[in-house]
Amino acid sequence: MAERVSLPLPSQSQLSPTTTMALLGAASSSARIIPSVSLSSSSRSFFSLSSSSSKLQCLRSSPRISHLFLNQRRAEVRVSSGGYGTVSAPKSVASDPDQLKSAREDIKELLNSKFCHPILIRLGWHDAGTYNKNIEEWPQRGGANGSLRFEIELKHGANAGLVNALKLLQPIKDKYSGVTYADLFQLAGATAVEEAGGPKIPMKYGRVDVSGPEQCPEEGRLPDAGPPSPADHLRQVFYHMGLNDKEIVALSGAHTLGRSRPDRSGWGKPETKYTKDGPGAPGGQSWTVQWLKFDNSYFKDIKEKKDEDLLVLPTDAALFEDPSFKVYAEKYAEDQEAFFKDYAEAHAKLSNLGAKFDPPEGIVIDDSPNAGAEKFVAAKYSTGKE
């Protein structure tokens, strides 16, 4: 059974009358205690990009675990980095451009210290990947709307471990209240790709957050890693998002980052020569040798299938088995520049799916070119030295 921990609250003399009433109202709800677990990330989903960092006291999303936020329609009580609950009302307004830029710098610092690039990418993908093009109404259509911050969606099987990514980003959200969760998730994912040496993603911001857990999408909109017919399954799920075969293959290339752990996701080896020394908590099986460097190694390694220490999921293998997918997979294995170009476009498209922007045209915070892989130093920690 998970260890139970208490959340210390400030004394009433430390609170304003407004905050006191908000906390009293929250206390009257059926809130449970949040348990303590170590930092990890894993998933049974195709979008399984996991990373390990120094151990933190985090939250686990499971039917037995309490809500990260109290189930309030107009207010959220969340665990802050200061150790006690803070109260704020969600705002359906555009994010502040200056705060977005500052938040990006904080995300870069987080990436450099925690090596959490893969799980932040996965967080952004899973928030956006619930989009259904056949539903017009917002937020019923799903997509990048910040709904993944609520327990009911975090408990979906495909989202296992993503509560840890939320825990990593929560202090940044607390610091920059003018940034929506929907924008923060996508900002973190795009920044992680770029900081790992990947292409510059043509992002825009201004996504509006959903206001409560009742607006979360139903479970089952995200792809699985090992379905009976991998290629058909990928098309069924991604076509519902409005994505095509080229975009499916390009996005798959993000598996060049991260590891999978069998004790958490059911896939991969407990440890390989490439993961036994971390960084972060050692172990798991990676798709590539340098699993913290964004390049086209994923396609090369799957094509060759010469290294038993590298992971190949059924949905990975399908990229070179399906005739349509194979055209793009072969191209990306030979041409990293082509992969980067198509990946950047596909990532940006995915990040916008289902979002409601305020202003409608969105907010662009940076048009500068990406400096490229040379500036990224964390990859040297994932070289597979024995």
Side-chain angles (χ1 to χ4, degrees), residues 22-303:
L23 286 173
L24 288 174
S28 65
S29 301
S30 56
R32 291 169 288 172
I33 301 299
I34 300 175
S36 168
V37 301
S38 61
L39 177 64
S40 67
S41 63
S42 59
S43 173
R44 294 175 176 83
S45 167
F46 163 83
F47 290 147
S48 181
L49 296 168
S50 67
S51 66
S52 296
S53 60
S54 57
K55 291 188 176 181
L56 299 174
Q57 293 300 97
C58 293
L59 313 173
R60 184 185 301 275
S61 59
S62 73
R64 296 176 62 85
I65 301 307
S66 169
H67 204 315
L68 180 62
F69 310 99
L70 293 182
N71 226 353
Q72 305 292 315
R73 176 179 293 270
R74 300 306 302 170
E76 298 169 354
V77 179
R78 59 180 180 269
V79 180
S80 72
S81 57
Y84 55 83
T86 61
V87 179
S88 65
K91 300 177 181 179
S92 294
V93 297
S95 295
D96 178 82
D98 290 334
Q99 290 198 24
L100 281 165
K101 293 177 182 179
S102 297
R104 180 171 57 187
E105 295 307 309
D106 285 11
I107 290 170
K108 290 179 182 179
E109 293 181 8
L110 178 67
L111 292 167
N112 289 333
S113 63
K114 303 299 182 183
F115 308 107
C116 54
H117 305 67
I119 198 174
L120 294 188
I121 296 171
R122 183 171 157 242
L123 178 69
W125 281 21
H126 281 217
D127 194 47
T130 59
Y131 174 65
N132 187 336
K133 68 177 183 179
N134 299 316
I135 302 175
E136 294 185 4
E137 296 80 11
W138 183 93
Q140 292 90 333
R141 64 194 183 212
N145 57 30
S147 63
L148 191 47
R149 71 189 189 274
F150 293 109
E151 183 197 27
I152 188 172
E153 190 170 345
L154 284 168
K155 286 166 61 176
H156 293 178
N159 294 329
L162 283 179
V163 68
N164 297 310
L166 189 61
K167 179 71 175 180
L168 288 170
L169 290 178
Q170 188 60 53
I172 298 177
K173 180 66 177 75
D174 292 338
K175 184 177 179 181
Y176 303 107
S177 60
V179 176
T180 63
Y181 279 99
D183 272 351
L184 183 62
F185 294 167
Q186 301 308 321
L187 176 65
T191 303
V193 169
E194 296 166 11
E195 289 297 295
K200 182 72 179 178
I201 311 297
M203 298 291 291
K204 67 176 181 178
Y205 300 95
R207 296 169 186 80
V208 176
D209 280 339
V210 296
S211 59
E214 71 280 358
Q215 295 177 313
C216 291
E218 73 281 3
E219 187 168 7
R221 296 193 184 187
L222 295 170
D224 296 322
S229 301
D232 292 340
H233 175 72
L234 289 177
R235 287 193 175 94
Q236 179 183 9
V237 174
F238 280 93
Y239 283 8
H240 272 275
M241 300 181 202
L243 301 175
N244 58 34
D245 286 0
K246 181 176 76 171
E247 291 160 338
I248 292 172
V249 179
L251 289 171
S252 299
H255 274 158
T256 192
L257 299 177
R259 299 173 284 175
S260 179
R261 298 175 183 273
D263 57 326
R264 300 169 189 171
S265 68
W267 296 97
K269 296 180 179 180
E271 180 182 274
T272 72
K273 61 178 176 287
Y274 305 124
T275 65
K276 65 180 183 179
D277 296 321
Q285 186 175 14
S286 59
W287 285 265
T288 62
V289 175
Q290 288 187 299
W291 45 269
L292 284 173
K293 181 180 181 180
F294 196 101
D295 56 20
N296 66 337
S297 295
Y298 167 80
F299 298 104
K300 294 179 178 180
D301 293 333
I302 291 178
K303 181 180 180 180

Side-chain angles (χ1 to χ4, degrees), residues 290-336:
Q290 288 187 299
W291 45 269
L292 284 173
K293 181 180 181 180
F294 196 101
D295 56 20
N296 66 337
S297 295
Y298 167 80
F299 298 104
K300 294 179 178 180
D301 293 333
I302 291 178
K303 181 180 180 180
E304 295 176 357
K305 293 184 179 179
K306 294 181 179 179
D307 194 333
E308 294 183 354
D309 273 337
L310 297 181
L311 179 64
V312 179
L313 297 172
T315 45
D316 299 320
L319 302 183
F320 282 93
E321 295 170 353
D322 180 87
S324 177
F325 288 160
K326 185 177 181 179
V327 172
Y328 301 108
E330 292 275 7
K331 178 181 179 181
Y332 298 152
E334 298 297 327
D335 189 343
Q336 179 168 287

